Amino acid sequence: KEIGAYSDTLKSDLLLSAQGNARATTKVGFCYRDGKHGARKNVQKAFEWFEKSTLMGDACGAQALGVLYMNGQGVEKDTTRGILELTHGAMLGSEHSCNCLGHHFSTGKHFKENKRFAMYWYKKSIAARWQDSVDVSRERRETFLRENDSGSFN
């Protein structure tokens, strides 16, 4: 039905996903989340694709799944599960997951403020395999590092 409206990029990613390509599976999720490449915006459907790609071991899929859980988009809000998925994504190499964790530790949002752990996650984001973050998170990271990189935290 809907597939006729899909772009060649989305059709290709659907085919690659069916063949077990985790990154393509995540890309399909982003198409549904954002309503791009001919897919109608459907955050619940995006959630399903991100969940699938996370189980396939994709860092960016785990990051996206964590953000949906944190914000209660396409799924009931579950901060604990969101942090778990963000950590999963960070350990798989997602820059954005690392930046999110750094932010939560630097602000005390969702768990006790801890500048050492914020520093750890922000620095880890710089060397992350998948540079998948957004400008606002990168700017937040750079500001934190510039203001706090003295190494003396309690």
Side-chain angles (χ1 to χ4, degrees), residues 2 5 25-26 29 34-35 39 42 44-46 50 55 59 61 78 81 86 88-89 93 96 110 119 134:
E2 202 176 302
T25 303
T26 296
D34 301 334
N42 184 330
Q44 287 180 307
K45 210 170 205 180
F50 293 144
L55 292 171
D78 184 341
R81 180 68 186 273
L86 285 173
H88 182 202
H96 192 63
H110 303 300
M119 184 67 66
V134 294

Side-chain angles (χ1 to χ4, degrees), residues 107-135:
T107 63
K109 185 176 183 181
H110 303 300
F111 36 75
K112 188 177 178 182
E113 182 180 331
N114 186 315
K115 300 287 186 189
R116 280 189 205 154
F117 280 99
M119 184 67 66
Y120 170 82
W121 287 111
Y122 276 138
K123 284 187 174 182
K124 190 170 182 65
S125 75
I126 294 168
R129 178 176 182 201
W130 301 106
Q131 294 295 303
D132 61 341
S133 202
V134 294
D135 288 341

Side-chain angles (χ1 to χ4, degrees), residues 22-152:
R23 182 49 43 110
T25 303
T26 296
K27 288 168 66 178
V28 171
F30 283 121
C31 287
Y32 281 110
R33 186 197 70 183
D34 301 334
K36 302 264 178 146
H37 294 287
R40 283 193 205 143
K41 186 173 182 170
N42 184 330
V43 182
Q44 287 180 307
K45 210 170 205 180
F47 171 84
E48 293 169 11
W49 284 96
F50 293 144
E51 190 173 54
K52 182 178 178 180
S53 68
T54 297
L55 292 171
M56 296 167 82
D58 188 66
C60 300
Q63 169 273 125
L65 185 64
V67 170
L68 292 182
Y69 271 114
M70 296 296 291
N71 295 327
Q73 296 173 303
V75 65
E76 187 176 333
K77 185 174 183 170
D78 184 341
T79 304
T80 302
R81 180 68 186 273
I83 294 294
L84 176 106
E85 296 301 346
L86 285 173
T87 304
H88 182 202
M91 299 311 293
L92 290 171
S94 164
E95 174 198 18
H96 192 63
S97 285
C98 293
N99 279 336
C100 288
L101 293 170
H103 175 68
H104 294 314
F105 275 115
S106 73
T107 63
K109 185 176 183 181
H110 303 300
F111 36 75
K112 188 177 178 182
E113 182 180 331
N114 186 315
K115 300 287 186 189
R116 280 189 205 154
F117 280 99
M119 184 67 66
Y120 170 82
W121 287 111
Y122 276 138
K123 284 187 174 182
K124 190 170 182 65
S125 75
I126 294 168
R129 178 176 182 201
W130 301 106
Q131 294 295 303
D132 61 341
S133 202
V134 294
D135 288 341
V136 68
S137 293
R138 289 182 178 129
E139 290 164 10
R140 188 183 299 138
R141 172 189 67 206
E142 296 310 315
T143 299
F144 178 87
L145 292 174
R146 189 173 47 256
E147 294 173 356
N148 295 282
D149 204 8
S150 66
S152 58

